[in-house]
Amino acid sequence: MLKPKDKKAARAPARAKTPRKKPRSRYSSDEVREIFRRFAVQRPEPKGELEHVNAFTLLVAVVLSAQATDIGVNKATRGLFAVADTPQKMLALGEDRVGDHIRTIGLWRNKAKNVIALSQALIRDHDGQVPADRDQLTKLPGVGRKTANVVLNMAFGQPTFAVDTHILRIGNRLGLAPGKTPDEVEKRFLDIIPQDYLRHAHHWLILHGRYVCKARKPECERCVIADLCQAAEKTSAIPAALTPIEIG
């Protein structure tokens, strides 16, 4: 039998849930275009910093870069790629010898297993070639969405957008593309980045986050978008509005 309080609750109509508003960019479309125009003037052809010689070695390098620095990965892979630059050679090298090359990288044991497993999968399912398709790439061992996007962008020239820790920080710090997860931030950026700037957008933002808009102390005095930036956290030395000449 229902108690009085329970009866009252049962009669009360259910409250409609108010949908939570998704965070939006603080910037107008004109401001976003100007931000990426300045990045394009500063670095017309930005390059990733992972060393590689082909699509396969790029794929391996990106897999190894999870929770590791590009500098550390490059030191480890120079010797590895000198002897194994194809899935067939990597498989012939074997897990133990791959591990010997990359043991200076975090989680190297598990990564060595993944490198061998993805080499096997490429040989078995793709005739030893790296597929230019996100769904096929993410089915490979150790390959997630971010890795697939980097490979598609750098190896195949596709206008994909990969979110790393730098881009996640910038999207939220600047209010440019706020989100709690990499997938959310990726979607926000894809909603606002002008199509003609999408090809290089993630490289511009990674380099900006790595060398200028740093995690601990952003160097606003060196920032080409300082006068447009709406971040709450800024250093005191912020230049006046920058002209294309000053940016270059």
Side-chain angles (χ1 to χ4, degrees):
M1 184 174 179
L2 290 175
K3 295 180 181 179
K5 287 184 178 180
D6 295 331
K7 289 180 179 179
K8 186 176 181 181
R11 289 196 301 268
R15 291 184 180 180
K17 292 184 177 180
T18 303
R20 295 179 62 185
K21 291 184 178 180
K22 295 181 179 179
R24 299 177 61 184
S25 176
R26 299 175 191 166
Y27 302 78
S28 68
S29 58
D30 287 343
E31 288 172 327
V32 172
R33 172 166 286 278
E34 177 62 12
I35 285 170
F36 284 97
R37 185 195 71 81
R38 293 187 188 186
F39 285 148
V41 171
Q42 183 187 45
R43 292 187 178 94
E45 293 292 332
K47 302 294 183 184
E49 297 185 328
L50 286 173
E51 297 175 5
H52 59 284
V53 295
N54 54 31
F56 172 69
T57 55
L58 173 63
L59 175 60
V60 171
V62 180
V63 167
L64 296 178
S65 71
Q67 300 181 40
T69 66
D70 288 359
I71 293 174
V73 172
N74 289 338
K75 287 180 180 178
T77 56
R78 284 170 193 147
L80 176 63
F81 294 158
V83 295
D85 58 358
T86 67
Q88 294 83 355
K89 292 178 182 177
M90 195 69 74
L91 189 59
L93 195 62
E95 184 180 322
D96 289 342
R97 292 179 64 191
V98 170
D100 288 339
H101 281 281
I102 66 169
R103 64 175 60 239
T104 55
I105 300 175
L107 306 175
W108 65 271
R109 288 186 177 85
N110 191 54
K111 290 178 179 179
K113 291 179 181 179
N114 282 335
V115 168
I116 292 300
L118 73 83
S119 298
Q120 292 173 325
L122 287 173
I123 294 169
R124 182 185 66 242
D125 302 329
H126 303 285
D127 296 322
Q129 301 299 310
V130 176
D133 178 84
R134 183 186 287 112
D135 290 338
Q136 293 182 29
L137 281 169
T138 53
K139 290 177 183 177
L140 296 170
V143 179
R145 184 179 179 86
K146 173 198 159 188
T147 296
N149 280 338
V150 172
V151 172
L152 291 174
N153 184 278
M154 293 180 64
F156 301 105
Q158 296 186 22
T160 55
F161 189 84
V163 176
D164 72 344
T165 56
H166 297 296
I167 293 179
L168 186 69
R169 180 179 70 255
I170 288 175
N172 284 284
R173 174 186 277 171
L174 275 61
L176 192 56
K180 294 182 178 179
T181 67
D183 286 350
E184 287 182 2
V185 171
E186 178 185 340
K187 184 179 185 305
R188 301 282 187 278
F189 269 118
L190 290 176
D191 286 342
I192 65 171
I193 296 173
Q195 191 65 32
D196 49 329
Y197 289 123
L198 184 55
R199 171 72 176 83
H200 294 311
H202 91 275
H203 275 129
W204 286 324
L205 290 166
I206 288 172
L207 294 171
H208 188 64
R210 185 173 291 165
Y211 297 112
V212 180
C213 197
K214 300 176 182 178
R216 294 187 178 181
K217 187 178 179 181
E219 298 183 11
C220 300
E221 70 279 4
R222 298 178 53 231
C223 178
V224 298
I225 61 169
D227 58 305
L228 297 171
C229 178
Q230 298 183 38
E233 176 191 5
K234 290 185 179 181
T235 56
S236 57
I238 300 177
L242 302 176
T243 66
I245 295 175
E246 290 170 324
I247 294 169

